[in-house]
Amino acid sequence: MRTDSSPGTLPAREHLPAGNAGTPVLDVVIPVYNEEKDLGPCVARLHDHLRRTFPYAFRITIADNASTDTTPQVARRLEADLAEVTSFRLDQKGRGRALRTVWSASDAPILAYMDVDLSTDLNALLPLVAPLISGHSDLAIGSRLARSSRVVRGAKREFISRTYNLILRGSLQARFSDAQCGFKAIRRDVAQILLPLVEDTGWFFDTEMLVLAERAGLRIHEVPVDWVDDPNSTVHIVKTATDDLRGVWRVGKALTTGALPLDRLTRPFGDDPRDRDVQDVPKGLARQLVGFCVVGGLSTLFYLVLYSAFRSFSGSQVANALALLVSAVANTAANRRLTFGVRGRGGAVRHQAQGLVVFGIGLALTSGSLAALNAASSDPSHSTELAVLIAANLAATVLRFLLFRAWVFPDRDGSARPEPTPVAPHTVTYPTGGHQPYQSHHQPQGPLPQRPTHQPHAQSGTTTTRFRAGEAADGTWRDSTMQLQPVRSHDTEPGDPR
């Protein structure tokens, strides 16, 4: 979200004829495998809906996942009959593989997909993509678990869906409500950098993409949908669930170890209002306080358990030192990752060494408190020792936070923020009419640019354009709203209710 300009809005609907609209604004991908019966009616219904209700140029892309029936022939027939329909065939199965291939090569600024059964009401399509068109959000998903959603499906699928999303919330701290709904959209400039980080090529593709986007701080818009279960679905629930759980473990491990380069997805300074310089308010203080308090509370409980265990076979001073040492190492590691957002192994040894210095200060406070207690009473009770240690630990906790923030994990003038890596220019060649060749060799490496102003391409012929990912065609970065070309003139005729 730009901070140097006011929010943009969609342009007035002074529509041009559909044939002169140029590059499609929306590319809807339908991944299919052996769907010879449902593909024709699905595409016809979707095409009719978009032609009647979507105010901009669009494309429907059929992504065939190595079907063995007559699905390829049906796709080619639809491509020949409908100008806005194109098809692409992959030699290997995998919904994620199909979406990655088609999205990576598409020239449309907004990329979406939906399941071939059209279980989701198509009236949610425009609300899904509108926040992406306006530049408000980076990704958008349909949610069957929102309060205002209306869903018809069996108890078994309902239980599996809710359980899966609970697993995501508990293991990966996901905040989006529905990872599996086959109704999603993404901005192309985001997809160009996000997709190379997604490893899965099957059903877990959606979840992995959303988790990485959310962890990188991208905005995910959710749309409540009306959804009717397809009783003839060919999805193997048990196998899909097993593969998803494996994917959750893999992504969770990568996030924990800092193996994912999520800094590539950070937007430039000023795109996030939380990056604004505000005097007398240290950046991230509120969030760090909350994280530190949570970690500190858990560390205190851990410390008390250890102290009680060590106290059963040693004196109070030895038990306190051992318990504080073990809990201090765990506390430093947890605060490093969760409170101050330091990922990867770089500097971990130095941070632990500095954490031990902080531990020494805490040890001096707590040991001094125990010494004062023993001087005041020759044989204090165990509960009294614990009360004194809790008070001393509270004082040590405040001092620990100040030292962590100012010395161990400082943010000196934004030095913790990675420097943006320039995105190398690349060449994209595509025809604006006829079949779209899905070939792409783009390997983005830098952070996301600020959301650009979209400029339509030439209306006919083959055009070769050199640009940076997300840059406007004229090389400017003026506004976050894409200036889109409308397509139909009859919407502005007198008496139009819209």
Side-chain angles (χ1 to χ4, degrees):
M1 190 166 105
R2 295 286 296 275
T3 60
D4 55 352
S5 62
S6 59
T9 58
L10 291 175
R13 292 185 174 180
E14 298 176 357
H15 296 150
L16 301 174
N20 296 328
T23 301
V25 170
L26 173 66
D27 192 348
V28 182
V29 180
I30 304 177
V32 293
Y33 175 72
N34 290 348
E35 298 286 354
E36 57 185 0
K37 294 182 179 180
D38 295 335
L39 181 57
C42 161
V43 172
R45 178 183 165 194
L46 175 60
H47 180 270
D48 178 69
H49 176 84
L50 288 172
R51 184 181 56 81
R52 290 185 297 102
T53 65
F54 193 70
Y56 305 105
F58 64 89
R59 177 194 297 130
I60 300 174
T61 302
I62 303 170
D64 177 20
N65 296 316
S67 296
T68 58
D69 60 1
T70 61
T71 296
Q73 290 83 349
V74 175
R76 286 194 293 268
R77 184 169 65 251
L78 291 168
E79 182 179 15
D81 294 342
L82 302 173
E84 293 85 2
V85 176
T86 186
S87 64
F88 178 74
R89 178 173 171 81
L90 287 84
D91 296 330
Q92 294 177 291
K93 291 179 60 177
R95 182 182 67 171
R97 179 181 288 109
L99 292 176
R100 186 205 313 276
T101 302
V102 178
W103 279 355
S104 297
S106 179
D107 58 335
I110 306 299
L111 311 170
Y113 97 89
M114 62 181 59
D115 293 334
V116 69
D117 55 16
L118 295 185
S119 296
T120 304
D121 183 12
L122 293 179
N123 287 326
L125 183 56
L126 184 55
L128 182 80
V129 302
L132 308 186
I133 293 175
S134 68
H136 175 270
S137 300
D138 299 294
L139 298 91
I141 64 174
S143 175
R144 299 163 297 182
L145 302 181
R147 291 187 176 182
S148 56
S149 298
R150 294 176 291 187
V151 177
V152 178
R153 62 176 168 182
K156 180 180 179 181
R157 284 182 175 267
E158 180 77 8
F159 174 78
I160 292 175
S161 178
R162 291 188 178 274
T163 301
Y164 180 63
N165 283 281
L166 286 175
I167 292 174
L168 293 181
R169 288 176 176 270
S171 59
L172 300 178
Q173 288 79 50
R175 290 177 293 176
F176 47 85
S177 64
D178 192 352
Q180 294 177 312
C181 183
F183 195 69
K184 296 181 176 68
I186 185 173
R187 289 175 56 91
R188 181 170 64 95
D189 58 348
V190 176
Q192 287 178 334
I193 299 179
L194 178 59
L195 294 184
L197 303 180
V198 181
E199 295 184 15
D200 191 81
T201 59
W203 292 96
F204 187 69
F205 175 87
D206 305 49
T207 302
E208 185 173 358
M209 178 181 68
L210 292 174
V211 169
L212 298 187
E214 187 176 71
R215 286 299 185 94
L218 301 182
R219 175 172 287 166
I220 301 176
H221 178 74
E222 295 197 18
V223 178
V225 298
D226 297 342
W227 193 86
V228 179
D229 188 16
D230 179 14
N232 299 319
S233 175
T234 59
V235 177
H236 300 288
I237 298 179
V238 176
K239 183 180 183 301
T240 301
T242 303
D243 293 341
D244 287 348
L245 292 177
R246 291 174 180 171
V248 169
W249 170 259
R250 174 176 55 79
V251 173
K253 181 179 179 181
L255 291 173
T256 302
T257 60
L260 291 169
L262 296 181
D263 56 330
R264 294 183 186 176
L265 295 169
T266 57
R267 289 192 176 275
F269 179 79
D271 195 58
D272 191 328
R274 293 169 296 184
D275 290 335
R276 298 175 184 175
D277 288 328
V278 182
Q279 293 182 354
D280 301 326
V281 179
K283 186 178 62 176
L285 177 60
R287 181 187 61 80
Q288 291 178 357
L289 276 174
V290 172
F292 185 82
C293 288
V294 172
V295 173
L298 295 176
S299 297
T300 301
L301 292 177
F302 184 46
Y303 162 79
L304 293 175
V305 171
L306 291 175
Y307 177 80
S308 298
F310 294 147
R311 188 67 175 85
S312 62
F313 60 83
S314 64
S316 60
Q317 293 288 2
V318 175
N320 174 63
L322 291 176
L324 196 57
L325 175 61
V326 176
S327 61
V329 173
N331 181 276
T332 301
N335 277 306
R336 181 178 186 269
R337 176 65 180 87
L338 302 178
T339 303
F340 298 97
V342 179
R343 300 183 177 90
R345 300 178 181 177
V349 176
R350 175 174 57 84
H351 293 154
Q352 282 293 346
Q354 292 173 312
L356 289 178
V357 175
V358 178
F359 151 75
I361 298 175
L363 178 61
L365 286 174
T366 53
S367 297
S369 300
L370 283 176
L373 176 62
N374 291 328
S377 175
S378 59
D379 188 19
S381 65
H382 183 62
S383 59
T384 303
E385 285 184 347
L386 290 181
V388 171
L389 287 174
I390 290 174
N393 267 287
L394 288 176
T397 298
V398 175
L399 183 59
R400 185 185 305 120
F401 176 75
L402 296 176
L403 290 175
F404 273 179
R405 181 175 174 82
W407 180 48
V408 183
F409 308 108
D411 183 14
R412 300 187 180 91
D413 298 328
S415 60
R417 183 182 300 106
E419 291 294 329
T421 303
V423 181
H426 64 283
T427 302
V428 175
T429 303
Y430 56 85
T432 56
H435 180 70
Q436 169 71 31
Y438 287 91
Q439 299 178 356
S440 176
H441 303 285
H442 175 61
Q443 296 293 335
Q445 295 294 328
L448 290 179
Q450 296 182 359
R451 298 182 181 109
T453 299
H454 173 68
Q455 298 290 340
H457 297 276
Q459 298 177 2
S460 61
T462 301
T463 305
T464 300
T465 308
R466 295 183 63 86
F467 57 92
R468 289 184 296 167
E471 183 179 9
D474 60 359
T476 63
W477 303 81
R478 294 187 298 270
D479 191 84
S480 63
T481 303
M482 294 179 297
Q483 304 299 322
L484 305 176
Q485 289 293 334
V487 296
R488 296 192 302 276
S489 58
H490 62 268
D491 285 352
T492 57
E493 295 176 354
D496 192 328
R498 289 179 290 178

